[in-house]
Amino acid sequence: MLKEIWTLAVTDFKATFEGGYLYLLLLACLIYLFIKEKNASRKTIFLWTTLFTLFLYFCPLSGKILVECLGDNVYFRVLWLIPLIPLTCYVMTTLVSKLQGVKRFAAFCVLVLCIMGSGSYMLTGQHFHEVTNPYKLTQESVDTAQWIPDGAHVVGVGWLLPFIRQYNPTITLAYDRYYQGPLALELSKPNPDLAVCGPLLQETGCDFVAIGQDLNSGVLGNWNDYGFHFYRGDNRCIIFINENSSFYSGEP
């Protein structure tokens, strides 16, 4: 378990700092405080506290506690929320405050550009795509949600769950995207076993199951054997209807 925590810490650290030189900005701020800061209390707050936070993040024992308390989806946020923001703001403000007039304005512009350029750019085609519908949602989510009738109870894949109820709030979800129970864990595997998923899906009382075609291609077993039948689908998503659902009117 401790090895897994260490791997998670290193992986998330690399993911946080990839695509830019943000880690150099962090290092530069720490070196500046170590050499220039004379106020003991400020040095403790911004330098030693930052280093202690990084220690807690990377130490597998404390990391395990953080993961247990915060969850692995929140654990890595400790890295870029707690040390980076206060530290950078304080150091940059200190540097600018030592100057006057045009020099202060010029230094401010240079430091802002350094901060902007030190990370990775989010507003790019890799992360964002121009929306093609008035709902401002991913088109795949809208297309999938349009196939599901009002009032349906649904088990959905991760990319659909955040958006399906925004499009149609009458739809209810068997679990949200943060659910980590047996069903979610099985569906997260490359080859989910319907011998495990089928009974769990029936326990949710869902009307429909909406999953990705990539996941469906690796499923072990036959959906029909567990009471689910093909309903609708495209090249990304496929929907199965529960034969015990009131929406089911006979096998298609």
Side-chain angles (χ1 to χ4, degrees), residues 24-215:
L24 293 178
L25 184 64
L26 173 63
L27 182 61
C29 289
L30 291 173
I31 293 174
Y32 174 85
L33 285 177
F34 182 78
I35 297 174
K36 293 292 187 180
E37 183 59 61
K38 304 303 180 184
N39 185 293
S41 60
R42 293 176 185 175
K43 200 167 190 174
T44 299
I45 293 171
F46 294 105
L47 176 62
W48 303 124
T49 301
T50 298
L51 293 175
F52 181 66
T53 303
L54 292 173
F55 170 78
L56 291 179
Y57 175 84
F58 281 108
C59 176
L61 290 175
S62 56
K64 184 178 185 299
I65 296 174
L66 289 173
V67 170
E68 292 293 331
C69 296
L70 304 176
D72 55 3
N73 289 322
V74 179
Y75 166 58
F76 78 96
R77 298 175 192 271
V78 171
L79 179 66
W80 53 268
L81 279 180
I82 296 178
L84 281 176
I85 294 177
L87 175 67
T88 305
C89 290
Y90 174 73
V91 171
M92 298 304 181
T93 302
T94 301
L95 289 172
V96 171
S97 66
K98 295 181 180 297
L99 302 172
Q100 299 292 330
V102 176
K103 291 182 178 180
R104 173 179 288 186
F105 178 75
F108 172 79
C109 293
V110 170
L111 293 174
V112 167
L113 291 174
C114 286
I115 295 173
M116 291 173 59
S118 63
S120 58
Y121 293 97
M122 292 298 295
L123 299 178
T124 63
Q126 178 184 358
H127 303 284
F128 290 89
H129 303 278
E130 184 178 353
V131 294
T132 57
N133 60 76
Y135 304 98
K136 307 302 182 185
L137 301 174
T138 60
Q139 190 60 45
E140 294 89 347
S141 300
V142 172
D143 293 340
T144 303
Q146 286 177 337
W147 291 336
I148 301 174
D150 292 349
H153 193 52
V154 179
V155 172
V157 291
W159 60 266
L160 179 62
L161 290 177
F163 309 114
I164 186 172
R165 279 182 42 80
Q166 293 183 52
Y167 176 80
N168 186 347
T170 69
I171 296 173
T172 57
L173 303 174
Y175 59 82
D176 62 26
R177 57 178 168 165
Y178 300 112
Y179 170 69
Q180 295 294 319
L183 178 55
L185 293 176
E186 185 65 29
L187 288 175
S188 67
K189 297 179 180 179
N191 300 103
D193 189 349
L194 289 181
V196 178
C197 292
L200 293 174
L201 287 167
Q202 290 293 357
E203 288 180 10
T204 67
C206 65
D207 299 302
F208 298 92
V209 178
I211 63 173
Q213 287 283 15
D214 55 343
L215 179 62

